[in-house]
Amino acid sequence: MSTEQEETLNEEVLNEQNEIENETVDENPPTETGIEPEQAEVETAESEQEDTETEKPDSRRKRKKLNVSIPADEFDWDAFEESSPADASKEEVEKLYNQTLSKVAENEIVEGTVTSMNKREVIVNIGYKSEGVINISEFRYNPELKVGDKVEVYVQTAEDKKGQLLLSHKQARSLRSWDRVNEAMEKDEIVKGFIKCRTKGGMIVDVFGIEAFLPGSQIDVKPIRDYEMFVGKTMEFKIVKITQEFSNVVVSHKALIEAELEAQKSEIISKLEKGQVLEGTVKNITSYGVFIDLGGVDGLIHITDLSWGRVNHPDEIVTIDQKINVVILDFDDSKKRIALGLKQLTPHPWDSLDPNLKVGDVIKGHVVVMADYGAFIEIAPGVEGLIHVSEMSWSQHLRSAQDFMKVDDEVEAVILTLDKDERKMSLGVKQLRPDPWENVGTRYPTGSHHVAKVRNFTNFGVFVEIEEGVDGLIHISDLSWTKKIRHPNEFTSIGADIDVVVLEIDMENRRLSLGHKQLEENPWEVFETIFLPDSIHEGTIIELSDKGAIVALPYGVEGNVLPRQLVKEDGTTAKLDEKLPFKVIEFNKNNKKIMLSHTRIFEEAKQEAEANTKRSEEANTQKAIKRLNSSIEKTTLGDISEFAALKEEMRKDNESVVERLVTADAGTEDIEATADANIAEAENVAENIENTEVKG
């Protein structure tokens, strides 16, 4: 069959089919769009006419052949394949189709284009045979996302069970995040981030899928009081710090606007002049001052420049967001610092002070500040005077100003000094009362007795106050006649009353010399007659030390004992609280000192007994010598000169022997026996001499 015949056959079949369809169609068929049949036919005809005009004749014939509704068992497939518009095979057509698609590998990052989006999803085309659907929450950092934007996505699965392409923008951002963060910091780029939540000291921001820290001070150039208002917002940031070791990223929104503000500051400061009055807004209040926003540049009002009067805290004067006029006191171009003043807009209170005010006038005011050294009294707003602690009382002992007054007390004082140029004033309170030292000599004459209050201790005595402004000193030696006091706290206590007698008045130093023991007679005059040297008294050891002991004697007096004088008769040493007899070995009335000894009591008794024995022995020896001498004299040969020398020699020998015996502590009987032997020998010699004389 020829080609023309085939075309003729197909046209006839098509016409028959159209006639059958027209017969089965209702006169007024319903339409899905609600358009009337006549209108639909007109639109269809117009559409076919447009297609016919634009299509080629062959294409029209091919379209008609393809759109013919012929039962499958009657369709001539051979003729259809022979008249196919494509000369290539099916495999070639499929190959050509696949070449139009992108090659997609799973687990890779590719770039896609947003084709459509709604409130929940974003459709992204990556050039694959199907498009990917991504949850819109993954693009929350970029609320300005729109159709046609290029985005990076991570291919999770090229085709799941439903044949769907699965993509993830969050994973793609996470994989590229650190590279992008580092690149953004190096290039000083501006990045967008989503503020997720608030944390201590700042906010957590999602930047490229990384949780970065936004310090509270870097949110804005102005102090932020409510961080919650930023949660859930997307803002622009600069990456200011990256710590790779701890995976920390710090971002700043403030850095974006600081450059612009610096330009504004430079411009504003260039127009500033000292003394210029500007309007500003209270931006922040601190304990040391108030920061004022002057429209792009900040200035500081120091607390001392808020008011001429005393200010405890700046919030007593201003409040946050309050608009006030300030005067420029000073500014620094290099440091961009501006010093402002508020009190300078009003006259100084010292300028309006009463011109007739002078030294000696009595004024009234209230205490505004207390210090250890004094109190500041405000007599008018901004006008203060100082009452030094030394001007609060005539008393000279050290005290604190808080002992006399406190803050908010109403006081009356006398002007002591007044310097309007320096704006300084000193005041006094004690001047309102008479000086107690004006007639102290008549009220406290020497020898008078008084009751004083103990105020302070020193190592050398006690400071007491007889009345306010009249102080005195009791020397430690004037506290007691009998007790040995090492420190005044052994005798009395601070705040206690003590009886005193005036010993001396020192008008120049405004001090009295007082005594306490002088209230009683000096007992040492009596003790001198009782504690005589070598007298023995019973005492109790009340204190022991390396230097000796202190012994309590009768009549409340104490004595000292050296360590070697504490040895008892049995060789042991006396102990604390032991009661023993003591001998007075020294009494010094002027120094009020008594030296005692227990050892000397038994030592001297022993020495006395030994001395008595020795004296008795010496007496017996003298008797024996005398008797011997008498015997020798009787047996002498008279005038025979040659025997005189022998006699004298024997006498001396006899005395020498007796002395040796005495020195050797020989007994009386031994001495007498020796003497008798010598006498007998002498008599024998004498007899021999006599016989010799007779013979001659």
Side-chain angles (χ1 to χ4, degrees), residues 441-502:
T442 58
R443 290 184 293 119
Y444 304 104
T446 302
S448 59
H449 295 186
H450 307 279
V451 177
K453 188 173 290 293
V454 178
R455 290 298 186 187
N456 194 17
F457 288 148
T458 65
N459 292 329
F460 55 84
V462 182
F463 285 100
V464 298
E465 186 180 55
I466 298 180
E467 67 169 87
E468 184 179 347
V470 180
D471 297 336
L473 172 66
I474 307 174
H475 195 270
I476 192 170
S477 62
D478 292 321
L479 288 173
S480 176
W481 288 110
T482 58
K483 292 184 179 180
K484 192 164 293 184
I485 300 171
R486 294 173 180 80
H487 194 275
N489 59 10
E490 299 175 4
F491 188 83
T492 184
S493 59
I494 293 178
D497 292 333
I498 185 172
D499 295 327
V500 296
V501 59
V502 179

Side-chain angles (χ1 to χ4, degrees), residues 675-691:
D676 291 342
N678 291 336
I679 292 171
E681 183 179 357
E683 289 177 350
N684 291 332
V685 172
E687 187 178 353
N688 292 332
I689 294 171
E690 186 177 351
N691 292 332

Side-chain angles (χ1 to χ4, degrees), residues 462-640:
V462 182
F463 285 100
V464 298
E465 186 180 55
I466 298 180
E467 67 169 87
E468 184 179 347
V470 180
D471 297 336
L473 172 66
I474 307 174
H475 195 270
I476 192 170
S477 62
D478 292 321
L479 288 173
S480 176
W481 288 110
T482 58
K483 292 184 179 180
K484 192 164 293 184
I485 300 171
R486 294 173 180 80
H487 194 275
N489 59 10
E490 299 175 4
F491 188 83
T492 184
S493 59
I494 293 178
D497 292 333
I498 185 172
D499 295 327
V500 296
V501 59
V502 179
L503 303 179
E504 185 181 351
I505 300 176
D506 186 356
M507 292 295 296
E508 183 178 355
N509 295 318
R510 302 170 71 94
R511 182 162 292 174
L512 300 177
S513 177
L514 307 173
H516 175 72
K517 70 180 184 181
Q518 287 79 4
L519 296 171
E520 302 174 354
E521 293 184 1
N522 187 356
W524 288 89
E525 300 287 346
V526 180
F527 294 159
E528 189 177 14
T529 62
I530 297 175
F531 299 100
L532 297 171
D534 295 333
S535 61
I536 298 176
H537 306 272
E538 195 173 61
T540 304
I541 299 175
I542 59 176
E543 186 176 333
L544 273 176
S545 67
D546 296 339
K547 297 180 179 180
I550 296 177
V551 177
L553 297 172
Y555 310 106
V557 70
E558 296 175 355
N560 297 327
V561 185
L562 296 175
R564 66 175 181 272
Q565 303 298 334
L566 292 172
V567 179
K568 296 190 291 185
E569 190 172 2
D570 58 0
T572 61
T573 303
K575 298 180 180 178
L576 188 66
D577 296 331
E578 191 169 356
K579 198 170 188 180
L580 296 170
F582 291 92
K583 176 177 282 191
V584 178
I585 59 178
E586 182 186 347
F587 182 89
N588 191 326
K589 182 178 69 173
N590 296 329
N591 295 330
K592 300 176 181 61
K593 184 177 180 181
I594 302 176
M595 296 300 297
L596 305 173
S597 173
H598 172 72
T599 305
R600 283 196 182 184
I601 294 176
F602 61 85
E603 280 185 348
E604 290 183 355
K606 184 178 179 180
Q607 291 175 0
E608 183 66 24
E610 291 176 353
N612 291 335
T613 302
K614 187 175 182 180
R615 284 194 296 270
S616 177
E617 292 175 351
E618 289 177 351
N620 293 333
T621 302
Q622 291 297 328
K623 289 179 181 179
I625 294 172
K626 186 179 289 187
R627 190 174 57 186
L628 177 62
N629 292 336
S630 297
S631 300
I632 294 173
E633 289 176 357
K634 290 179 181 179
T635 60
T636 59
L637 297 179
D639 297 331
I640 302 176

Side-chain angles (χ1 to χ4, degrees), residues 194-197 203 214 219-220 224-235 253:
F194 176 77
I195 300 178
K196 298 175 63 175
C197 61
M203 316 286 285
L214 172 64
I219 297 176
D220 202 343
I224 302 300
R225 291 183 287 274
D226 183 14
Y227 287 1
E228 297 297 335
M229 61 183 294
F230 293 94
V231 176
K233 289 186 176 181
T234 299
M235 300 173 63
H253 178 70

